[in-house]
Amino acid sequence: MADIQRRPLLRHLRGAPTTYVRHLRRGRTVHEGVGVSFWFRPLNAVISEIPVDDRELPMLFHVRTSDYQDVSAQATVTYRIEDPVLAARRLDFAISPDTGAWRSAPLDQVATMLTEIAQQYVLTLVTGMPLREAITTGPAAIRDAVTDGLAGDGRLTDIGVTVVGVRVVAVRPEAEVERALQTPAREQVQQEADRATYERRAVAVERERAIAENEMQNQIELAHREERLVAQRGVNDRRRAEEAAAAAWVAAEAQAERNRLDAAVQADARRALGAAEAEANSAYLAVYRDMEPSVLLALAAQALAERLPEIGQLNLSPDVLTTVLGGLAAPSSDGGGA
């Protein structure tokens, strides 16, 4: 919007770089152009301000397809006023000399015209399509149809409007129909997800089976090794026992040999001692063989006295002594008489 400054009986207008300003006075053009600045009298000035920048116009169409399904097409049309002089002649772009605001709504007229023209081409195209085709290939077809239709429409050319581009954002059916159409795809995606889950589980089961087999093979190998270890320990124990038995046998034989040697030595010693004792006894008896009986009795009494306990005092009566001496003499007398 132009910037207007107020002075007594005068006004000063300063245009924008994206607006075309046209100043008429008494039916003649005084000032016109983009970004102009000038003084004017509000009582005899007619000023028009035409935007020449690109403008976006969103559109929403409700159309019924060939299979009687309602769809909504959302599009955006970019346009600009290519010939502002022609647009100022055909549409009311006049502004207030005091505020700079439009006296009417010329851009709304342009938007209404563009929407009606575009809707005509959208209706013509979509009504001949079934629902699935309208959803899948509809956006591109609608864009091309609307672009070609607006570019060749004479009504837009007459007001100096040029269409820069058309974008179709989406073509969507009603919510229930859209959910119904999404169901097969969702089921397929779910099936793919389930298949991936099953495959992942199968791979996990296969890996677990491989791990279990490895563990079992390890246990079998450990059992074989333990069996060989037990067998080797048994062999070692048997060898130890055999070695211990052999050593014990050798020790027993050595001990028996030592015992035999000791016994032989002791037997030889006993035989030698017995022979010596026998010789001594023989010599001893040979000595006593030639002695008198009285001497032998005396020696026997002496030996007996040596073996008797100690006697502190002995009283011999004459009767006892006479009997003893008589007894000792009697054998002697008998022996002498013989």
Side-chain angles (χ1 to χ4, degrees):
M1 185 174 64
D3 182 17
I4 297 178
Q5 296 181 0
R6 301 176 62 181
R7 296 289 186 273
L9 302 178
L10 291 176
R11 302 289 185 272
H12 183 271
L13 182 144
R14 183 175 61 189
T18 57
T19 57
Y20 185 92
V21 178
R22 190 182 186 203
H23 177 206
L24 299 178
R25 186 172 57 200
R26 297 177 183 177
R28 292 181 300 176
T29 302
V30 181
H31 300 93
E32 65 177 344
V34 177
V36 295
S37 178
F38 55 87
W39 291 92
F40 66 92
R41 292 182 180 180
L43 296 178
N44 59 1
V46 177
I47 301 174
S48 300
E49 185 180 22
I50 304 97
V52 294
D53 56 340
D54 292 347
R55 292 183 172 263
E56 302 284 342
L57 178 62
M59 301 178 181
L60 181 63
F61 308 111
H62 294 281
V63 193
R64 179 168 294 182
T65 62
S66 61
D67 49 0
Y68 305 103
Q69 298 295 325
D70 292 333
V71 296
S72 59
Q74 184 177 355
T76 301
V77 175
T78 303
Y79 72 95
R80 69 169 173 266
I81 299 176
E82 189 72 24
D83 191 347
V85 177
L86 182 60
R89 291 176 180 174
R90 299 297 301 272
L91 299 175
D92 185 9
F93 283 94
I95 62 174
S96 171
D98 294 328
T99 61
W102 279 313
R103 295 180 181 274
S104 60
L107 293 182
D108 292 344
Q109 297 178 9
V110 176
T112 301
M113 185 180 298
L114 285 171
T115 302
E116 291 178 352
I117 296 173
Q119 185 175 6
Q120 178 182 354
Y121 292 106
V122 172
L123 288 173
T124 303
L125 179 66
V126 175
T127 52
M129 290 183 176
L131 177 62
R132 293 184 180 275
E133 183 181 357
I135 294 174
T136 56
T137 63
I142 291 174
R143 182 188 65 243
D144 296 338
V146 172
T147 301
D148 297 339
L150 293 179
D153 193 275
R155 289 171 293 180
L156 298 178
T157 305
D158 292 341
I159 61 175
V161 174
T162 301
V163 175
V164 178
V166 177
R167 299 191 306 276
V168 178
V169 180
V171 177
R172 303 184 61 179
E174 295 180 350
E176 295 180 357
V177 177
E178 186 175 10
R179 284 194 297 270
L181 293 174
Q182 291 174 354
T183 300
R186 289 179 178 177
E187 291 295 332
Q188 184 176 0
V189 171
Q190 186 63 40
Q191 291 176 2
E192 294 294 333
D194 294 340
R195 185 180 298 108
T197 302
Y198 298 151
E199 291 178 355
R200 184 171 61 253
R201 289 179 180 176
V203 171
V205 170
E206 183 65 23
R207 290 179 179 176
E208 290 179 357
R209 185 185 64 81
I211 292 173
E213 289 182 355
N214 291 332
E215 291 180 352
M216 184 174 62
Q217 291 296 331
N218 292 333
Q219 292 178 359
I220 293 173
E221 182 63 25
L222 290 175
H224 288 325
R225 292 183 180 180
E226 186 176 1
E227 181 180 2
R228 291 195 295 270
L229 178 61
V230 171
Q232 187 62 39
R233 285 179 177 175
V235 172
N236 294 337
D237 292 339
R238 285 194 297 273
R239 288 182 179 177
R240 292 192 190 96
E242 291 174 357
E243 294 294 333
W249 177 259
V250 172
E253 288 184 348
Q255 184 65 33
E257 186 64 26
R258 285 194 298 270
N259 292 336
R260 285 194 297 271
L261 292 176
D262 292 340
V265 171
Q266 291 178 4
D268 292 341
R270 288 179 180 178
R271 282 193 297 271
L273 181 61
E277 289 180 352
E279 290 178 0
N281 290 329
S282 298
Y284 183 75
L285 293 175
V287 172
Y288 286 105
R289 188 173 54 246
D290 297 332
M291 286 184 179
E292 294 292 334
S294 59
V295 176
L296 291 175
L297 290 174
L299 292 175
Q302 183 181 357
L304 179 61
E306 290 177 357
R307 288 177 171 84
L308 290 175
E310 183 180 356
I311 300 173
Q313 185 177 358
L314 181 60
N315 294 321
L316 296 176
S317 64
D319 296 335
V320 175
L321 183 60
T322 302
T323 302
V324 173
L325 291 177
L328 290 175
S332 176
S333 297
D334 294 337

